[in-house]
Structures are given as C-alpha cells and as structure tokens.
Amino acid sequence: MTAQYKEKESSGVSSVLVLGGGSAGLLAALALKCQLPHCSVKLIHSKEIGVIGVGEGTTAVFPQFLFKVLGISKERFYREAMPTWKQGIRFLWGERGDYFYDFGFQYDQQFPGMSKATGFYAEENCDDLSEVCAMMRAGKAFAAGPLNKPLIKGEYAFHIENEKLVRCLTNIAIEHGVVMEEDTLLHAQADENGIRSLHFQSGATHSADLYIDASGFRTELIGKALGVPFQSFAGSLFCDRAVIGGWVRQEEPLQAYTTAETMDAGWCWQIEHEHFINRGYVYGADFLSDEQAEAEFRKVNPRAGNTRVVKFRSGRMERSWEKNVVAIGNSSGFVEPLEATALAQIIFASRWLVEMLKQSQYRPGDAQRDQYNLFMGRAWDEIRDFLALHYKFNTLRDTPFWRHCQEHTSLGDFQAFFEKYQQIGPSPTLINTLPYQPNVYGIEGYLVHLLGMRVPHRAGHPATPQELAIWEKHRARHRLTASQALTCQQALDAIRRPHWRWD
Ligand SMILES: Cc1cc2nc3c(=O)[nH]c(=O)nc-3n(C[C@H](O)[C@H](O)[C@H](O)COP(=O)(O)OP(=O)(O)OC[C@H]3O[C@@H](n4cnc5c(N)ncnc54)[C@H](O)[C@@H]3O)c2cc1C
C-alpha cells in the first residue's frame, strides 16, 4: 500500500460518490446519509442510460428498513410510491401443483399436544398451516381489527412499480441532503489504490473518499475500472432471459402475493399492482428462442400488451468491496427474481457497509473489506443454493428444460443438508446442518419448498387420531380468521380514509 493511500485511509471517509440512480444507488445513498450524517453523499446517474426498470417485488426486510432504520414516513411512502402488500409467494410448482410461502412460520413450529413438528403431518395436505397462508389462499391480505380496520403488522412486504419507487426514493434522498446530479461517466481513472477520479460527459471530474458502484449490469467501477472477476452461477441456475409485459387490471382480484408459475422452460411471475398486472417469463435461452418464449408468454397471458426481453447473467463479483469501491445492487451480483431477493441484498449490503465504516471509525482497512466480502459472498451463494433447490425438485412439467434441471442442477453447499433431510425428515433441528450460518431463510425457507414440492424423506410419522384432530383444529382456526379478514383492496381503501392513522 502506498504512503498516499495510507494517508487517505487515516484521514477517514467523509465523502462518498454513488454512481447510479436506480433502487440500489438510491437506497445505498439514503442508508449512508441517514446513518452517517457527517458524510457528504453525492449521487450521479445517467438519464441517457436510465434504470433497468424492473424489480417490483420485495421481501419483509424492505418495509422494516424504510420505516424503522431510515425513519421514512409511512404516510408519505404509501402516498408517493403506491405499494400494495405482498404476504408471500404462491408457487404453482412441484408435485402438489401449488403451495404458499409466507414470511412467518409454517414448518418451524410444533403445535401443543403433537409429538412432532408440523412438517411431519403435511404429507397429504399442507394448506393453511399459518394464518397468513390461509388468508392468501382465501384472497385476503390482513386480519380485521376493531372497527373492521386492517391489522397491518407482522412480516409483510410490498409490490411496487419500479418507476414510482425510484421517483419516491429520489425525492426523499434529496430532502435528506444527498446531492443528485445527472451526467454520464465516460472514464474512470484508477491506479493500484483504486479509483482516483471519475470523468463525465459534461466535462466534470469528481473524486471522493469512497465510491459506490451502483451502475447495474454495466459494473462501471468494480468490473470495468478495477477488473474484479465475475463468478458465474451457471452451474446451478440455467435461466438468463425474461420476457416482460402486463396489462391494466380489469376484473382480476388484487392478490396479496406474488405468483411464480411453472412454464415450459422456466417460470412466470405475476406481480400485483393496484391498477396493473406485471408478468414476466424467466427462461433459459439454451432451451427456448425469444420468439418461442414470447409465444408461450402470450398464451398464458392473452391480455398482455407490449413486451420486452431483458438479458441477464446469474452470478456475483468475487469481491464486492475492492480498494475504495463498494459495488451494491446488480453491479455486485444478480440472480433471477424467483424469491425477489435483490432489494433485500441491496439493504444487507448498505447496512453492512455502514456497520464496517462505523466499526473502523470511518477508516476501513483490509479487515473491514475482508469481512464485508465474506459476508456478501456468502449471502449471494446462499441465494444461489436456495434457488437451485426450486429447480432441482420441481416435477410439475416434464419438458427438456425441467429434465435438465433435475439432472444437472448443482445443490452446491446445500447437498449435505439435503442428505440429512432425507434421513431425519422435516425437523426444525436441521437448522444446525444448514451450510450458511447465519442464514437468510432459516430452516423454514428450506422446509417450505421441500415439503411444498413433496420431496421424499425416510422419516415418515404415522399420526395418531388425537394428533390429527389437533392438526385439523389449528388449520380450521386459521381458515376462520381468513374468512373474516380483509382483501388487499379493502385494506388500501382503509388507509386512504381521512381518519386513518399509522401507529
Ligand atoms: C427480469 C428481472 C426481474 C427482477 N425482479 C426483481 C424483483 O421482483 N425484486 C427485486 O428485488 N429485484 C428484482 N430484480 C432486480 C432489480 O433489477 C434490482 O433489484 C434493482 O432494480 C436494482 O437495480 P440497480 O439499481 O442495481 O441497477 P439499475 O436500475 O440498472 O440502475 C443503474 C444506474 O446506474 C446508472 N449508470 C449506469 N452506467 C452509468 C454511467 N456510465 N454513467 C452514469 N450513470 C450510469 C444508470 O443510469 C442507473 O441510474 C429484477 C431484475 C430483473 C432483470
């Protein structure tokens, strides 16, 4: 390390330049500005290049981050970004044909009076194991509280139109003191210590103590300027394109879940906006041409208007933090949106970066960079293996693509866990054998899919009549709550009434 760079490190990070104004750049800039107010944060983005314009499903991490960590007003966010609620995902997938995945617990629990965890009783029927799953199945969003008001609490996520999200976050970022500029990066000057300066189309040159590469798939700084290698996930994930389209909602009910529907060479999402239905067929170009994908998409979605094809590669940067550049968002890594993980990854990355800066008194060195890279690398690899499981065991369609997935999908670090599952069955104690600790999905995430797809194990448990009665009682209670719950539209109407107050 040169003396000059050491000097820079010892003077600490007080200025950050974010390249990119998509959801990654905006969320990272907001996280830094809100949590490190002494730092000057400048965000430069190119209108000419624009944003990717997809990424409309979140996980439960997202509202918690916005409202609890950043302190953004709920009233304002609901008014400007106009999200609808997502309580989970409905998978049209696996041997059963469908199952729900919520943000709470279905299988990481044991009902009192039963000798085993719920997964041991779910062979025949796995419906309504949680209140939220019963509500999703019944087309509802939230339980009804006093005066029939929706109880909007617990673990829920959002569906948000990307354009509205970016516009809303831009306004909030400016108000919080993030300096925003429009310009297009032409050239980054780099040396052995990292980026020295950025040169833009307008003729301006900018430099900072720390650079955030949020330039999306273009990886302007981490990839092009610093040459960090890309690690492909092509051994586990075979999809590399999506045909995207949608239509103005007509009589279709507004559901509080994303749908992931098995297709011939991949799967199709359905994201529920209040006035628009967004669909996208994620497929492998080795198995289907763009024209064939478009035709299959239209067959399933006859109301779809114009479509566009987005190409992507699954994988991650070997290191997301290199020298004085931290890549966040699609520039750091990308996996297809089957579990809508990208916004959560942006949030983890932003929070972890803030933590590393604070931990080092704003003088991050190799120790912080190594820790950050270890953490983010594992987070990407865990998602890779989690998604691989969806492909390996989906037997709903017998097509060349799905046969290829069953035969060739690598379970990666998850293989040993899977062998234990086959011996021990769906026991929550398997958490100890998960390869990633701590893990994002918990044992719940893995069991939902293994049981939802009816992946066999050798630890069957014959339920007693008493156990079956208890089992039924719980599911019936969940169904009753669901029958009295409110739909997504009723909940949206409720929060727009003049007397509504967010607690
Ligand atoms: C098909 C598909 C579906 C997806 N669905 C989901 C989902 O449901 N949920 C989810 O969480 N995520 C989803 N994603 C991921 C989603 O794209 C990202 O979560 C999110 O939009 C972050 O993108 P980004 O900000 O990294 O990149 P982008 O939105 O591409 O933004 C890049 C920014 O960098 C700027 N830029 C680039 N080059 C330059 C330059 N030379 N000079 C100046 N500025 C520059 C651009 O102008 C832009 O402002 C999906 C992605 C794809 C491809």
Side-chain angles (χ1 to χ4, degrees):
M1 193 180 282
T2 66
Q4 193 192 12
Y5 190 58
K6 272 202 167 145
E7 200 182 294
K8 190 80 235 161
E9 280 200 348
S10 63
S11 63
V13 171
S14 63
S15 63
V16 180
L17 193 151
V18 179
L19 182 73
S23 32
L26 287 162
L27 285 166
L30 265 168
L32 289 161
K33 195 64 210 169
C34 292
Q35 292 172 91
L36 311 173
H38 74 279
C39 258
S40 73
V41 180
K42 183 177 277 183
L43 185 154
I44 306 181
H45 66 107
S46 163
K47 232 184 178 168
E48 211 175 295
I49 294 169
V51 299
I52 190 166
V54 281
E56 311 206 313
T58 80
T59 62
V61 168
F62 186 81
Q64 285 166 15
F65 180 68
L66 283 195
F67 304 136
K68 292 196 179 143
V69 179
L70 299 184
I72 291 171
S73 131
K74 283 187 183 170
E75 193 271 332
R76 183 206 183 146
F77 189 76
Y78 278 95
R79 193 180 63 243
E80 288 186 20
M82 298 183 71
T84 63
W85 294 283
K86 169 182 168 186
Q87 289 281 24
I89 305 175
R90 181 183 182 203
F91 280 90
L92 301 179
W93 213 266
E95 208 191 289
R96 293 180 205 266
D98 97 314
Y99 59 92
F100 284 89
Y101 179 22
D102 68 357
F103 298 113
F105 297 103
Q106 299 179 66
Y107 299 108
D108 190 4
Q109 61 171 341
Q110 187 167 337
F111 295 143
M114 300 182 77
S115 62
K116 297 234 170 203
T118 47
F120 286 94
Y121 305 88
E123 173 61 22
E124 286 309 310
N125 191 330
C126 69
D127 296 344
D128 309 324
L129 280 180
S130 72
E131 255 178 24
V132 169
C133 284
M135 285 197 281
M136 286 193 277
R137 187 171 289 284
K140 305 292 182 70
F142 291 107
L147 302 174
N148 212 28
K149 287 184 179 173
L151 294 172
I152 303 173
K153 56 180 195 169
E155 300 272 307
Y156 61 84
F158 289 140
H159 291 138
I160 319 176
E161 289 178 60
N162 188 271
E163 201 190 319
K164 291 195 174 99
L165 174 65
V166 167
R167 202 182 316 132
C168 174
L169 291 178
T170 301
N171 294 339
I172 295 172
I174 292 169
E175 280 167 32
H176 278 75
V178 174
V179 176
M180 307 269 295
E181 286 183 19
E182 268 176 48
D183 216 337
T184 301
L185 177 77
L186 295 183
H187 170 66
Q189 196 192 346
D191 62 19
E192 73 275 16
N193 298 318
I195 301 291
R196 289 183 69 87
S197 54
L198 301 182
H199 303 268
F200 288 85
Q201 207 168 48
S202 68
T205 297
H206 295 275
S207 43
D209 298 331
L210 186 72
Y211 297 85
I212 306 296
D213 184 351
S215 65
F217 289 146
R218 298 168 70 99
T219 65
E220 295 280 4
L221 307 183
I222 196 89
K224 285 186 197 154
L226 298 189
V228 171
F230 180 79
Q231 277 185 359
S232 171
F233 291 166
S236 307
L237 303 173
F238 306 121
C239 291
D240 52 9
R241 285 181 196 202
V243 53
I244 301 170
W247 63 92
V248 174
R249 183 180 293 284
Q250 297 176 22
E251 73 289 350
E252 301 92 345
L254 176 63
Q255 301 293 3
Y257 55 80
T258 302
T259 304
E261 177 178 7
T262 303
M263 302 279 278
D264 280 352
W267 63 281
C268 192
W269 76 69
Q270 175 157 326
I271 290 195
E272 308 272 344
H273 302 302
E274 189 175 5
H275 303 295
F276 195 79
I277 293 179
N278 176 300
R279 298 221 72 185
Y281 179 8
V282 176
Y283 58 98
D286 283 350
F287 297 85
L288 213 60
S289 68
D290 292 349
E291 293 69 33
Q292 287 169 316
E294 156 94 18
E296 195 189 344
F297 176 83
R298 287 205 177 276
K299 206 167 141 200
V300 178
N301 303 294
R303 285 182 169 169
N306 291 340
T307 59
R308 64 176 169 132
V309 171
V310 176
K311 296 179 185 172
F312 57 82
R313 59 176 185 177
S314 292
R316 67 165 169 99
M317 287 296 164
E318 232 167 56
R319 294 175 302 284
S320 290
W321 189 343
E322 176 81 346
K323 297 174 180 168
N324 58 355
V325 172
V326 182
I328 296 185
N330 292 349
S331 60
S332 152
F334 181 79
V335 293
E336 56 174 273
L338 187 48
E339 290 280 353
T341 39
L343 288 165
Q345 281 291 84
I346 292 167
I347 289 169
F348 290 140
S350 304
R351 294 194 71 171
W352 198 240
L353 171 60
V354 167
E355 180 59 33
M356 291 295 102
L357 290 175
K358 282 186 178 168
Q359 196 190 83
S360 64
Q361 315 285 335
Y362 313 105
R363 290 173 178 79
D366 287 342
Q368 283 76 30
R369 277 187 282 273
D370 289 350
Q371 237 188 314
Y372 181 92
N373 286 330
L374 186 69
F375 178 82
M376 288 313 298
R378 278 192 186 152
W380 280 116
D381 294 348
E382 186 192 357
I383 297 175
R384 175 200 64 202
D385 295 348
F386 188 55
L387 296 190
L389 160 107
H390 298 58
Y391 282 100
K392 182 92 180 164
F393 301 115
N394 183 6
T395 51
L396 189 61
R397 284 199 193 185
D398 185 20
T399 62
F401 173 83
W402 287 104
R403 280 196 295 276
H404 182 85
C405 290
Q406 285 156 28
E407 282 166 32
H408 300 289
T409 303
S410 157
L411 289 178
D413 296 329
F414 175 73
Q415 182 64 40
F417 168 87
F418 173 62
E419 284 160 19
K420 280 276 183 299
Y421 165 81
Q422 288 180 307
Q423 290 163 29
I424 292 171
S427 165
T429 60
L430 281 171
I431 185 86
N432 297 321
T433 51
L434 278 176
Y436 302 100
Q437 304 287 348
N439 47 74
V440 176
Y441 302 100
I443 191 62
E444 177 69 26
Y446 294 89
L447 293 183
V448 162
H449 294 294
L450 289 168
L451 290 158
M453 287 186 272
R454 255 207 195 120
V455 178
H457 59 81
R458 297 189 289 277
H461 168 69
T464 64
Q466 292 89 328
E467 284 182 316
L468 283 180
I470 297 171
W471 168 254
E472 264 317 314
K473 197 178 93 195
H474 280 282
R475 298 191 328 140
R477 187 168 50 80
H478 295 154
R479 279 194 293 272
L480 180 65
T481 307
S483 70
Q484 296 160 349
L486 301 175
T487 64
C488 211
Q489 191 60 60
Q490 286 170 324
L492 282 176
D493 294 344
I495 66 163
R496 288 170 186 158
R497 287 196 192 107
H499 299 300
W500 177 265
R501 292 284 174 275
W502 291 104
D503 53 4

